[in-house]
Amino acid sequence: MQPTPEQSPHHAYPDHWEADVVLRDGGTARIRPITTDDAERLVSFYEQVSDESKYYRFFAPYPRLSAKDVHRFTHHDYVDRVGLAVTVGGEFIATVRYDRIDETGRPASAPADEAEVAFLVQDAHQGRGVASALLEHIAAVARERGIRRFAAEVLPANNKMIKVFRDAGYTQQRSFEDGAVHLTLDLEPTAESLAVQRAREQRAEARSVQRLIAPGSVAVIGAGRNPGGVGRTVLRNLLAAGFTGRTYAVNSAFAADQATIDGVPAHRSIGEIGEPVDLAVVAVPADRVPEAVTDCGEHGVQGLVVLSAGYAEWGAEGRERQRELVRQARSYGMRIIGPNAFGVINNSDAVRLNASLAPESPAPGRIGLFTQSGAIGIALLSGLYRRGAGLSTFISAGNRADISGNDFLQYWYEDPDTDVALLYLESLGNPRKFTRLARRTAAVKPVVVVKGARHSGSTPPGHAVPVSRIPDATVSALMRQAGVIRVDTVTEMVDAGLLLADQPLPAGPRIAILGNSESLGLLTYDACLAEGLRPRPPRDLTTAATPQNFRDALAEALADSNCDAVVVTAIPWVGENGEAESGDGEVLAAALRTAAATGPAKPVAVVHVEIGGLAEALAAATSTAAVPPVARASAPAAPDASTAPADRAVPPTALAAPSTAPAGPPTPTTPGDHLTRQRSDDAGPGDTPAVPTLGRIPAYPAAERAVRALAEAVKYAQWRRQAAVPGKVPEFLDDTIDEAGAAARIDALLGPDPDPRGRSLGHDEACELLGRYGITVRPTLPAPDPDAAVAAAARLGYPVALKTTAPHLRHRADLGGVRLDLANEAALRRAYGELTDLLGKPTELQPVVQSMAPRGVDTVVRATIDPAAGAVLSFGLAGAPSELLGDTAHRLVPATDRDAAELIRSIRAAPVLFGWRGSAPVDSAALEELLLRVSRLVDDHPEVVSVALEPVVVATQGLTVLGASVRLAPPPARTDLGPRRLSNY
């Protein structure tokens, strides 16, 4: 929508207030400012509102709007008077309006900071979370316009509206005046309001995914009249999977008298079906997709899977076609998987949906798989199928113009059928949101990610995403901070996913190795050391070992309290005639599975070399059903239960609430919990236990692959234990931080009309700003000539350092631009002469004099704002370790005390800080405090887009910041902190 000439040119139409939102039931709607062109829409909307709702809005019978009302409600200045509307299909379903008022309640302008607010929601759309979403957006608009409080009058009987205000999480006051409830809301976001907003976001986006993968009916648009083709293939796969809902074939070319195709009803349009359709799979040429979307939208279809190609992957014209597709679908309240998608699979027994081009539907299991590539999706499905792994859900999103990996993280977070989430991503549309969602999901179930297109400039053409300036190594570090298991290849993703889905988490890095090959055991031992594990000496059972020997050895290893996981190695048995025997794979698998099922809960992995039938037998669990909560509660404890990992917990299936219940955080689970021993459902406390459930044991053809998967599980388990007690920003920092003073100084430095490109602060300006956060930079004095250098040294006190500050020589001691420990005037003058003779004139070198710092380890601390990832805090040793070898650690801002401690310990050169080769350990507490102060500075002030402290000399007691640079710029938009909205690609 665009403003009309009647609207003030000083307050142009604020198109950045427009947003697509997901409502509570998973449908979408659009929020936008109301304009003068909306008069007819407003009247039509009001006519569809019940008399009761009108009474609640106006406190009196108000059957229709007068012309004066319509003019008032459609003419706004977008500052003191603002109206927003929620639209579906271009028509209003709700409105909200605020009017700025003074302390007496009369209309006012700035600087008055209070406004009266009122809502009206069409009765047919009440209960969908429309008012809650509107409140988030109108509050954000009000804050942007300098309004700090909302006042509202609500009739006591209007419980729904009172609940909307009460549940929003804002600080509020309530009173009863003149027969109405008077509410005052402080619009400053609080921890509670942000938590409420994100909980609503999770429920809504998870529900929108559920509508797509658990439909009650599916229509395939473009199912051909002849066998073959994309649409007909999807229809065939739907039928072969045994979809439990209703299926329809739609093709405008069907003859009028054609009733069925492949045994399902055939129709020429969605409108002809005459019954509700939940999901439409669109498989028609791109130029016919808009017609199909309109047909779906006008007849209540809830979501689309668009297999059609010819969109953003085809260039600028296709990208605009893709944007229009998303706009069109969302205008009808529909979400899209695709375009250029491969399809979706849901193996739930209640659904059995295969709306994809996959020729083989994988077996049911507990792995959720999301890919952005159809080709990779095919490869992953094939690999999982060959290894006997089962999937709960599979999604290949193609260009992911709407539904993305973030949405499926929202769904899998509380999905009781998914224990492990695997994602192949080629781009991150909203990296900050991905990190937040991944951290929350990883706290209850593993998230394994392969990131394709890792190098700059290689983003797939179909993906329009923010450009990131940070290297891939930094992205990997930030993912690990969020608990994501980042692997390099899809093979490693499958390896890790199988172990995490079928085995419990290890309690530590102590690995027992046993098998019938000494050589294979030694290879496994070496692989464990290379991955940072603590292997015990391999136990050689000799080539004469029988399956019973393997079972006894595995049971003994699992019972050992000094063992956290077991790797079993096996080679074929050699008979008396010298030939390898075959056919014993099933026997060995049964022995290993029995030992694993009856021993303490510890992960087991098998490395085998050409043993026929072993991998298949290990993968064929006798039961994949989750243990009912009653059966689990009555299960007897194992004799060695004290040695089991402490973090084992009830699986998600056991405690999952029905989909209609209010969503809350799912109970943290340990992968593989559904494979524990159990009684029969009707067993009593004194009954004999039932036969143990024999779960899958992952098998690997190489020791390195098994150990790498196990190492990832160990690191993830450690992260889970630490995440259970999150870090915090120490309170003592608040006593030495002048946040208000820093904000005022930043405003002054940027000026009233700041350059969008920003500006670098001078040395004194940077030192002043850093000082307001308790960061002291060691003073330097300019030395334009030898006499000035001597005078500066006399002022600072000997010994001193003489340094160049020219950009090409800064921090380059290797080029001779730094002279240290100058103890007297003669040494200083001699160094000055050598410096200028070697490197150039003083005007070029810009030399400075600085007093010497106590000896220590030179480090570097940086913080930068990346447009995609957000604020990133980095640490490393100064010089070659960080610059040449890339030995730098990273954490997202705001950093906690735990983040700071991990940051300085996670670089490869960390031993230098902690007493390497007998040296004295540095003051790590002072270094951690400095990191936290820098983190607070950039978190409190988004205008600080870059901070670099180099070098920071860390001594045995205290530290010294010798150099600092700061860059300011107008703050970038923070979509992750605003009201809920869908990304626009």
Side-chain angles (χ1 to χ4, degrees):
M1 300 292 294
Q2 295 298 321
T4 67
E6 291 181 321
Q7 291 168 325
S8 170
H10 300 293
H11 308 304
Y13 179 82
D15 54 9
H16 64 287
W17 291 352
E18 295 183 355
D20 292 320
V21 297
V22 183
L23 302 177
R24 182 181 299 153
D25 61 359
T28 65
R30 186 157 186 82
I31 295 177
R32 64 167 177 83
I34 297 175
T35 74
T36 55
D37 292 334
D38 288 322
E40 291 185 7
R41 294 186 184 89
L42 181 66
V43 171
S44 175
F45 156 72
Y46 194 76
E47 289 174 350
Q48 298 177 64
V49 175
S50 70
D51 291 339
E52 181 184 48
S53 293
K54 293 173 182 176
Y55 186 89
Y56 285 153
R57 169 64 176 86
F58 293 103
F59 290 21
Y62 215 87
R64 63 187 59 84
L65 296 175
S66 67
K68 183 178 180 181
D69 291 330
V70 173
H71 183 276
R72 181 163 64 97
F73 291 146
T74 56
H75 287 68
H76 306 93
D77 62 9
Y78 301 129
V79 177
D80 299 326
R81 301 181 310 282
V82 173
L84 300 181
V86 182
T87 67
V88 172
E91 299 301 321
F92 285 8
I93 65 168
T95 62
V96 64
R97 173 186 171 93
Y98 81 63
D99 293 88
R100 194 188 300 258
I101 58 175
D102 59 20
E103 61 276 4
T104 66
R106 302 178 66 84
S109 298
D113 61 357
E114 185 171 335
E116 187 174 41
V117 66
F119 296 77
L120 185 60
V121 180
Q122 210 171 81
D123 295 68
H125 295 277
Q126 292 178 11
R128 300 183 65 200
V130 175
S132 298
L134 264 181
L135 178 56
E136 290 178 20
H137 283 261
I138 195 67
V141 168
R143 289 193 297 269
E144 180 181 327
R145 297 311 194 197
I147 292 172
R148 297 291 173 258
R149 290 181 306 281
F150 272 164
E153 303 287 339
V154 186
L155 288 175
N158 192 355
N159 294 318
K160 291 180 180 179
M161 200 65 238
I162 292 175
K163 188 175 188 302
V164 168
F165 287 119
R166 185 186 65 220
D167 294 347
Y170 294 114
T171 302
Q172 57 185 272
Q173 295 178 342
R174 285 192 291 174
S175 60
F176 188 76
E177 301 174 11
D178 299 327
V181 178
H182 180 78
L183 294 157
T184 303
L185 276 72
D186 187 338
L187 299 183
E188 186 65 26
T190 65
E192 183 181 356
S193 68
L194 187 59
V196 168
Q197 177 179 316
R198 289 179 174 173
R200 288 172 173 165
E201 173 192 65
Q202 188 274 324
R203 288 193 294 267
E205 293 182 358
R207 176 59 181 155
S208 72
V209 170
Q210 186 179 36
R211 283 162 46 129
L212 289 164
I213 65 173
S217 56
V218 176
V220 180
I221 302 177
R225 291 170 292 178
N226 301 315
V230 174
R232 195 68 176 269
T233 299
V234 173
L235 183 61
R236 182 192 64 211
N237 291 343
L238 273 168
L239 298 175
F243 176 54
T244 58
R246 302 180 305 279
T247 306
Y248 306 97
V250 176
N251 191 326
S252 59
F254 285 157
D257 59 351
Q258 183 165 357
T260 65
I261 183 171
D262 286 343
V264 304
H267 300 276
R268 288 181 293 181
S269 69
I270 294 291
E272 280 189 5
I273 294 176
E275 295 179 351
V277 175
D278 297 332
L279 176 68
V281 180
V282 181
V284 298
D287 60 350
R288 291 176 50 200
V289 169
E291 177 186 351
V293 173
T294 298
D295 188 22
C296 291
E298 291 181 350
H299 294 94
V301 174
Q302 295 184 349
L304 306 173
V305 176
V306 181
L307 308 183
S308 310
Y311 289 89
E313 76 278 8
W314 283 16
E317 182 180 349
R319 184 174 293 110
E320 183 53 41
R321 186 183 300 122
Q322 180 169 298
R323 289 173 178 151
E324 181 55 36
L325 168 64
V326 174
R327 284 193 290 265
Q328 183 186 11
R330 288 180 179 174
S331 73
Y332 288 110
M334 298 183 294
R335 300 206 68 184
I336 296 175
I337 292 178
N340 197 26
F342 187 71
V344 298
I345 296 173
N346 183 353
N347 275 329
S348 168
D349 193 55
V351 181
R352 297 200 297 274
L353 173 74
N354 181 3
S356 78
L357 299 172
E360 295 176 334
S361 182
R366 309 193 65 78
I367 296 175
L369 176 61
F370 176 92
T371 80
Q372 290 179 354
S373 163
I376 295 297
I378 294 171
L380 285 169
L381 287 175
S382 178
L384 291 166
Y385 182 82
R386 287 195 311 270
R387 298 179 68 174
L391 293 180
S392 60
T393 44
F394 164 77
I395 309 91
S396 178
N399 294 359
R400 65 110 182 89
D402 181 20
I403 292 282
S404 70
N406 286 347
D407 296 285
F408 275 89
L409 283 176
Q410 299 276 40
Y411 175 76
W412 284 329
Y413 170 66
E414 60 180 8
D415 177 28
D417 294 329
T418 301
D419 283 349
V420 180
L422 307 184
L423 298 96
Y424 171 78
L425 305 175
E426 293 176 343
S427 60
L428 295 175
N430 190 336
R432 295 188 191 194
K433 183 175 179 179
F434 173 80
T435 302
R436 170 169 58 86
L437 300 185
R439 178 190 289 273
R440 185 190 60 188
T441 304
V444 296
K445 59 188 67 173
V447 177
V448 187
V449 171
V450 173
K451 176 68 168 63
R454 292 180 290 178
H455 302 290
S456 177
S458 59
T459 299
H463 298 206
V465 297
V467 177
S468 176
R469 293 191 294 262
I470 59 177
D472 183 67
T474 304
V475 174
S476 183
L478 299 182
M479 283 190 177
R480 290 199 176 275
Q481 181 189 3
V484 173
I485 300 171
R486 169 80 183 271
V487 295
D488 294 329
T489 68
V490 292
T491 299
E492 291 178 359
M493 179 167 70
V494 172
D495 287 344
L498 290 176
L499 182 75
L500 291 163
D502 295 329
Q503 298 294 307
L505 292 178
R510 301 169 299 178
I511 311 300
I513 303 169
L514 61 93
N516 62 352
S517 168
E518 182 179 11
S519 298
L520 192 53
L522 290 174
L523 286 174
T524 306
Y525 183 87
D526 291 342
C528 287
L529 291 176
E531 293 292 339
L533 301 175
R534 291 164 51 191
R536 301 174 61 187
R539 180 177 176 183
D540 183 15
L541 303 179
T542 77
T543 56
T546 65
Q548 183 62 43
N549 296 141
F550 273 89
R551 173 177 175 174
D552 295 342
L554 178 56
E556 183 179 339
L558 291 172
D560 188 347
S561 60
N562 294 314
C563 162
D564 299 314
V566 182
V567 178
V568 178
T569 63
I571 63 173
W573 285 268
V574 178
E576 294 180 358
N577 59 1
E579 295 182 359
E581 296 182 356
S582 60
D584 289 330
E586 293 84 353
V587 180
L588 177 58
L592 295 176
R593 289 163 56 195
T594 300
T598 55
K602 298 177 183 180
V604 177
V606 173
V607 178
H608 70 99
V609 178
E610 298 300 332
I611 299 183
L614 176 61
E616 294 79 2
L618 288 170
T622 58
S623 173
T624 59
V627 181
V630 175
R632 184 178 306 281
S634 63
D640 306 286
S642 61
T643 65
D647 60 349
R648 287 186 58 80
V650 180
T653 304
L655 296 181
S659 59
T660 56
T667 302
T669 66
T670 297
D673 270 352
H674 59 284
L675 305 173
T676 54
R677 294 189 306 271
Q678 59 179 311
R679 293 177 181 269
S680 60
D681 289 352
D682 56 355
D687 294 338
T688 303
V691 176
T693 297
L694 305 183
R696 295 183 175 99
I697 297 177
Y700 303 87
E704 296 78 10
R705 288 173 57 178
V707 170
R708 189 172 296 118
L710 191 55
E712 295 294 354
V714 168
K715 287 183 283 188
Y716 168 69
Q718 181 181 10
W719 180 89
R720 272 266 291 262
R721 289 189 291 270
Q722 293 175 344
V725 185
K728 60 181 180 179
V729 177
E731 294 293 335
F732 70 85
L733 289 182
D734 297 334
D735 298 333
T736 53
I737 289 178
D738 181 11
E739 183 177 346
R745 185 59 183 145
I746 289 170
D747 289 342
L749 290 168
L750 284 174
D753 187 21
D755 186 339
R757 297 171 298 178
R759 56 161 297 201
S760 295
L761 300 187
H763 178 268
D764 293 341
E765 294 171 332
C767 292
E768 179 190 2
L769 179 59
L770 292 169
R772 294 184 183 274
Y773 272 71
I775 301 170
T776 302
V777 182
R778 205 167 190 85
T780 60
L781 295 176
D785 55 58
D787 291 336
V790 171
R795 180 178 173 184
L796 296 173
Y798 289 98
V800 296
L802 178 66
K803 306 186 293 185
T804 65
T805 59
H808 66 289
L809 295 172
R810 190 185 300 271
H811 309 308
R812 293 299 306 274
D814 56 314
L815 297 181
V818 179
R819 303 301 169 92
L820 305 176
D821 285 321
L822 304 176
N824 51 49
E825 179 179 341
L828 177 58
R829 288 184 180 276
R830 183 169 57 253
Y832 199 100
E834 293 172 352
L835 205 64
T836 54
D837 290 344
L838 177 66
L839 299 175
K841 298 178 181 180
T843 53
E844 300 171 354
L845 303 182
Q846 304 171 31
V848 297
V849 174
Q850 189 174 50
S851 60
M852 287 295 296
R855 292 191 178 278
V857 178
D858 288 3
T859 65
V860 57
V861 174
R862 292 191 178 94
T864 58
I865 306 296
D866 182 80
V872 179
L873 182 67
S874 305
F875 170 78
L877 298 191
S882 58
E883 296 178 15
L884 179 62
L885 303 178
D887 187 15
T888 306
H890 313 274
R891 292 294 185 273
L892 286 174
V893 170
T896 66
D897 51 359
R898 174 171 290 165
D899 291 330
E902 291 176 351
L903 196 59
I904 65 175
R905 290 165 175 82
S906 56
I907 59 174
R908 296 191 300 276
V912 174
L913 303 171
F914 297 97
W916 184 59
R917 288 188 172 180
S919 60
V922 303
D923 190 345
S924 58
L927 184 55
E928 292 168 17
E929 181 181 332
L930 176 67
L931 290 164
L932 290 169
R933 290 181 184 276
V934 173
S935 172
R936 274 289 303 272
L937 172 63
V938 297
D939 189 45
D940 290 345
H941 307 285
E943 302 88 350
V944 181
V945 296
S946 175
V947 175
L949 307 181
E950 184 180 5
V952 177
V953 181
V954 191
T956 55
Q957 290 188 348
L959 56 77
T960 307
V961 180
L962 297 182
S965 62
V966 177
R967 184 170 180 80
L968 303 181
R974 289 290 303 272
T975 57
D976 57 320
L977 295 180
R980 288 173 286 159
R981 64 171 62 214
L982 289 172
S983 298
N984 290 319
Y985 298 119

